[in-house]
Amino acid sequence: MDFEKLIFIYLETTGANPTIDRITEIGLVEVDRRGNATHWSSLVNPSVSIPAFIQSLTGISNEMVRTAPSFAQLAAALHERLEGTLFIAHNARFDYGFLRNAFSEVGYSFRSEVLCTVKLSRALFPNESRHSLDALISRHQLKADARHRALADADLIWQFWQTLEQQVPQDVLIPAVKTLLQRPSLPSHLPSDALDRLPDTPGVYLFYGENDLPLYVGKSVHLRQRVMSHFSADHKLYKDMRLAQQLHRIEWRETVGEIGALLLEAQLVKSLQHIHNRKLRRQGSLCAWRAKVDAGVYAPPELSNASDADFGRTDTVYGLFSSKRKAESTLRELAEHHQLCLVQIGLEGRAQSNKPCFGWQLQRCKGVCIGKEPEALHHARLLTALSGLRVKTWPFEGAVGLIEKGAQGKSAVHWVNNWCYLGTAEPEEALQDLIENSPARPVFDMETYKILSKALMKQHLTVRTLSEVTMENSS
């Protein structure tokens, strides 16, 4: 392998998200062509408090890092040390992602050839089920001095490498390493530097073909890694192979976090109609069942279209279906499971009103059609059957801003009304234009509803009302 140095590296951090959490310790073993190893490590002041769980796991306390150098102070020397090396780590995506983001925050661009020893272990020992560092210690009798400290764990990776060199034939080891190091094959129509500026941040990427034909839009919390994955040399997915053949230009838009990327992706797919985004694009005429009671009359559920009904404003809407056929099929399945009368729910007719329905004869109906079951009870059972499909009622009066926080203190305000995404106002001065230019009744979108209802349920976003913004602007 044509590398001047091998770097075996391990990081300790405040958490698992490279765009939000921070490095607390760096440990590395630098090995030259002759096999001479140099060990180096440093604690890092993360400028944030280390969670108690992480302190317990690593033994690194807030007191220990208080006087340690910041990453900015270590960056220049560390960047020089890592340049031109093969970056080897266990679960390398984690360590490499953290270092790339840390370098980017202090103005350095960092890229390296990366080898993951988890993937290497899987490739060389496919019959083994576990490939964690603890599993490697046990399986290969590695000497563990202090687990969960950066330098000790970096040394374990170096020990594992030495074990492989001693026990695995070179004609097996070298091809396995080369396979894992294969760089993506750049599509023939892209310029050689097309991927150089891709950031490894959350966002949306857009692929364009000849004459700027929209091909595909995707999202990721790691834009660069996701785009590169489309161009794997083995083209495991036929769709990726077709994209690579047709691709002429790549565009990307960074977002503060995952929610912003999801919302922007759904919006772009609908507006640009990318030819490879069939799943998100194929919404059709969105419809749902509405169940209501008028003055004691228990009418069958009514199928309403998104264009005709304000789905988010009532608590009697169930489903969200892309077609009438799917809506009726789902209601029929529920009826069979809950012994509901197909005549009473409007899916079947009958020749004579005083005759039992066909389901009654098959013991699939409890007899509401001939007075054997009260209509109120049947309707209550219908609502129970539909309850799992209920569309959540919009919990606010009018539009609200949903604040998403990201790395480096960044935030974005996603403005939403009745589950409909209006746009992201960054900075907030753009809010007035956004509200004024939005349609009086935005189109209800199923993907957007799912994204927002899930995020609100998990309390990932802070809610800001229009009245709060108005008060701030007037003060």
Side-chain angles (χ1 to χ4, degrees), residues 374-447:
E375 288 190 9
L377 177 57
H378 182 272
H379 191 78
R381 295 197 301 108
L382 169 64
L383 295 182
T384 299
L386 289 169
S387 61
L389 302 176
R390 188 173 71 84
V391 176
K392 295 183 178 67
T393 306
W394 178 240
F396 311 103
E397 291 186 11
V400 298
L402 303 177
I403 303 173
E404 181 178 19
K405 295 183 179 179
Q408 305 175 49
K410 293 180 180 178
S411 65
V413 185
H414 310 302
W415 289 95
V416 183
N417 189 13
N418 194 26
W419 301 118
C420 299
Y421 176 53
L422 305 180
T424 297
E426 297 178 277
E428 286 187 19
E429 285 75 10
L431 169 61
Q432 195 61 38
D433 289 339
L434 189 150
I435 298 296
E436 289 178 357
N437 294 325
S438 66
R441 185 177 172 185
V443 177
F444 190 98
D445 176 74
M446 180 157 47
E447 290 300 324

Side-chain angles (χ1 to χ4, degrees), residues 25 28 98 116 144 225 296:
E25 188 177 38
L28 60 84
F98 261 95
C116 177
Q225 292 180 15

